[in-house]
């Protein structure tokens, strides 16, 4: 198993950058990239998973669906966690207020709770894809933080009424409690061995129609001014890299002229740090057949991809590299003899479009994707 990556902050710089963490509500991308297929021990919810039986995913998805809605949130960030203030030397908690709004909606055939949140003082949006996987019997959250570059993953289950999610190392722990009667949520994020929360969040439902988040993603336009190209941080995990510009090669609506592959819509998310590609079952804005999320982890120097298929509740994770000509993705959790073999490769044309080679079926399948003039359903 590959090692987890923990982002290390110096406290003075952390203090200056705290308000930039938009979408702190349930923000899986806040501090770490966690290994995606780790098993968290002692996280069983006995009420939902009787011993000797696998839980039906519908039970857990119904539980997530209750959290859909339109909300406002506020919280405090304790940058000393009850310790010593690195600036003043004073001992005790030092709080910074944070706030924002959020929309949550079940998408992907009611299999994913898609969350999008704003944070005061930041022009960028944070996204979360929350669901339940049956191979490990765990809730999971894939999070896209516009002020980080790694796709974050945390997973876990319910403990004493709280949904408890952890990264692979256990360094980050998140406790979430949603009250279905009052439609309010409280959340706490803990770091390391500290019993003092780093972040406390409270959320309440507000009036207004929940935005169609998936449609807004699919119809969004490219805006270079909304791409977070900051390279000013001393922590490379927060900095935009040249490799991020490769995501623009996928941006747009693409189809296979031969008709062998389904049309795709690719859009930038979270300040342009990540790319979401939706494969449609028909050429229309219907429920997607698959969703892939791509990014580039500047600290580790690798491309990342999560793939969510409509036929399986379990996400797949790939890592890639670009040699200047070919972008190759491999399965880091395959058998050792197969880890160096590509699963997907991409090459790019001088004109808009790209060539995908898939080796997942054991045979190489080559597809040429070209821009589509229209995404309207053919009749």
């Amino acid at each position: 198993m590959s090692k987890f990556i923990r982002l290390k902050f110096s406290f003075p710089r952390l203090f200056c950058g705290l308000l930039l963490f938009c979408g702190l509500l349930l923000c899986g991308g806040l501090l770490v990239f966690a290994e995606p297929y780790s098993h968290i021990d002692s996280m069983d919810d006995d009420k939902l998973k009787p011993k000797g039986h696998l839980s039906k995913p519908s039970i857990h998805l119904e539980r997530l669906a209750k959290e859909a809605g339109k909300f406002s949130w506020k919280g405090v960030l304790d940058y000393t966690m009850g310790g010593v203030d690195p600036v003043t030397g004073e001992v005790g908690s030092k709080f910074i207020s944070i706030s924002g709004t959020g929309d949550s909606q079940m998408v992907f055939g009611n299999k994913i709770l898609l969350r999008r949140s704003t944070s005061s003082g930041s022009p960028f949006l944070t996204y979360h894809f929350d669901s339940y996987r049956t191979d490990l019997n765990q809730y999971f959250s894939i999070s896209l933080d516009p002020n980080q570059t790694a796709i974050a993953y945390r997973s876990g289950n319910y403990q004493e009424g709280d949904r408890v999610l952890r990264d692979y190392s256990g360094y980050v722990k998140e406790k979430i409690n949603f009250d279905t009667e009052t439609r309010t949520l409280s959340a706490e994020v803990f770091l390391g061995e500290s019993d003092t929360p780093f972040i406390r969040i409270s959320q309440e439902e507000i009036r207004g129609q929940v935005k169609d988040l998936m449609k807004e993603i699919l119809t969004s336009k490219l805006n270079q001014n909304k791409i977070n190209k900051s390279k000013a941080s001393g922590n490379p995990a927060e900095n935009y890299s040249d490799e991020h510009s490769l995501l623009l090669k996928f941006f747009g609506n693409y189809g296979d002229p031969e008709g062998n592959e389904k049309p795709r819509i690719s859009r930038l998310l979270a300040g342009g740090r990540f790319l979401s590609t939706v494969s449609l079952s028909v050429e229309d804005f219907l429920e997607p057949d698959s969703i892939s999320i791509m990014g580039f982890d500047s600290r580790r120097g690798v491309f990342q991809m999560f793939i969510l298929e409509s036929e399986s509740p379990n996400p797949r994770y790939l890592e890639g590299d670009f040699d200047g000509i070919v972008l190759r993705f491999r399965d880091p959790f395959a058998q050792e003899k197969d880890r160096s073999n590509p699963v997907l490769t991409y090459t790019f044309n001088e004109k808009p479009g790209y060539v995908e080679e898939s080796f997942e079926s054991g045979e190489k399948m080559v597809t040429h994707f070209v821009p589509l003039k229209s995404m309207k359903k053919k009749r």
Side-chain angles (χ1 to χ4, degrees):
M1 300 290 247
S2 59
K3 295 181 179 179
F4 67 91
I5 302 297
R6 182 181 307 170
L7 308 186
K8 298 180 180 178
F9 295 96
S10 62
F11 271 100
R13 185 167 58 80
L14 171 60
F15 178 79
C16 295
L18 291 177
L19 292 181
L20 294 179
F21 289 122
C22 68
L24 288 174
L25 175 62
L26 310 183
C27 184
L30 180 63
L31 290 173
V32 302
F33 163 70
E35 189 172 25
Y37 292 104
S38 57
H39 179 76
I40 307 298
D41 295 327
S42 302
M43 299 288 284
D44 295 339
D45 185 341
D46 291 334
K47 294 181 180 179
L48 293 184
K49 191 178 71 174
K51 294 181 180 179
H53 298 276
L54 292 178
S55 302
K56 294 182 179 180
S58 60
I59 298 175
H60 306 280
L61 294 178
E62 289 173 2
R63 198 167 192 173
L64 285 175
K66 294 178 180 179
E67 299 181 19
K70 192 176 189 67
F71 303 92
S72 67
W73 63 270
K74 60 183 179 180
V76 292
L77 189 152
D78 183 358
Y79 72 92
T80 67
M81 292 187 290
V84 178
D85 187 324
V87 178
T88 66
E90 298 175 349
V91 178
S93 294
K94 295 293 182 70
F95 299 106
I96 295 176
S97 297
I98 50 180
S99 62
T101 60
D103 290 271
S104 304
Q105 180 185 45
M106 293 298 291
V107 299
F108 205 36
N110 292 321
K111 296 173 184 172
I112 294 175
L113 178 64
L114 174 60
R115 305 176 187 268
R116 188 185 69 184
S117 58
T118 68
S119 182
S120 55
S122 174
F124 307 118
L125 300 172
T126 298
Y127 290 84
H128 314 275
F129 297 80
D130 298 348
S131 189
Y132 186 85
R133 59 187 305 161
T134 57
D135 55 350
L136 299 180
N137 287 327
Q138 291 179 342
Y139 292 88
F140 69 87
S141 180
I142 297 171
S143 302
L144 311 180
D145 184 340
N147 297 295
Q148 302 290 330
T149 59
I151 302 174
Y153 178 95
R154 295 212 291 268
S155 63
N157 259 305
Y158 277 83
Q159 294 180 346
E160 299 178 353
D162 297 326
R163 188 161 74 249
V164 181
L165 306 179
R166 303 175 188 265
D167 74 302
Y168 172 64
S169 69
Y171 182 74
V172 177
K173 180 178 73 172
E174 181 179 58
K175 295 175 65 175
I176 307 159
N177 186 289
F178 186 82
D179 190 317
T180 57
E181 294 185 1
T182 62
R183 303 287 297 163
T184 59
L185 178 146
S186 61
E188 294 179 324
V189 177
F190 300 84
L191 304 183
E193 301 298 325
S194 176
D195 294 327
T196 302
F198 177 53
I199 300 169
R200 290 186 177 94
I201 293 290
S202 61
Q203 171 186 285
E204 61 181 20
E205 193 168 32
I206 58 177
R207 292 183 178 181
Q209 184 175 0
V210 178
K211 296 181 179 180
D212 190 333
L213 301 181
M214 185 57 69
K215 184 176 180 179
E216 287 198 1
I217 290 175
L218 297 179
T219 58
S220 63
K221 297 181 179 180
L222 178 62
N223 188 338
Q224 292 282 1
N225 295 326
K226 291 189 176 182
I227 296 179
N228 184 4
K229 295 184 178 181
S230 174
K231 299 181 179 180
S233 174
N235 188 336
E238 303 172 10
N239 289 333
Y240 188 87
S241 298
D242 293 339
E243 287 84 352
H244 284 98
S245 63
L246 198 63
L247 301 180
L248 292 171
K249 295 284 190 179
F250 295 93
F251 185 95
N253 304 337
Y254 293 95
D256 172 16
E258 302 296 326
N260 296 322
E261 286 292 332
K262 297 164 185 173
R264 296 179 178 182
I265 300 178
S266 296
R267 294 295 187 266
L268 297 178
L269 300 180
R273 296 290 180 93
F274 309 94
L275 179 91
S276 171
T277 296
V278 174
S279 175
L280 300 176
S281 54
V282 295
E283 294 186 32
D284 200 352
F285 296 133
L286 301 179
E287 288 292 344
D289 184 68
S290 68
I291 300 174
S292 69
I293 303 167
M294 187 188 302
F296 180 78
D297 183 345
S298 295
R299 180 184 179 94
R300 300 176 61 226
V302 298
F303 284 89
Q304 299 173 277
M305 181 187 292
F306 277 92
I307 302 173
L308 302 166
E309 300 280 358
S310 60
E311 297 179 355
S312 172
N314 307 319
R316 188 175 185 190
Y317 177 72
L318 303 175
E319 289 189 348
D321 60 78
F322 182 59
D323 62 8
I325 299 177
V326 183
L327 174 59
R328 296 179 177 87
F329 281 95
R330 302 174 178 86
D331 184 351
F333 305 107
Q335 295 183 13
E336 187 172 358
K337 65 181 180 63
D338 297 325
R339 290 180 190 172
S340 61
N341 298 331
V343 176
L344 293 171
T345 69
Y346 298 93
T347 54
F348 306 94
N349 308 317
E350 292 183 3
K351 297 180 179 180
Y354 57 91
V355 178
E356 178 187 83
E357 294 183 346
S358 172
F359 302 87
E360 295 191 88
S361 63
E363 298 180 359
K364 183 169 75 171
M365 296 181 60
V366 181
T367 306
H368 295 258
F369 284 94
V370 300
L372 290 174
K373 294 182 179 180
S374 174
M375 290 298 297
K376 293 182 180 180
K377 184 176 181 180
K378 294 181 178 180
R379 299 186 184 277

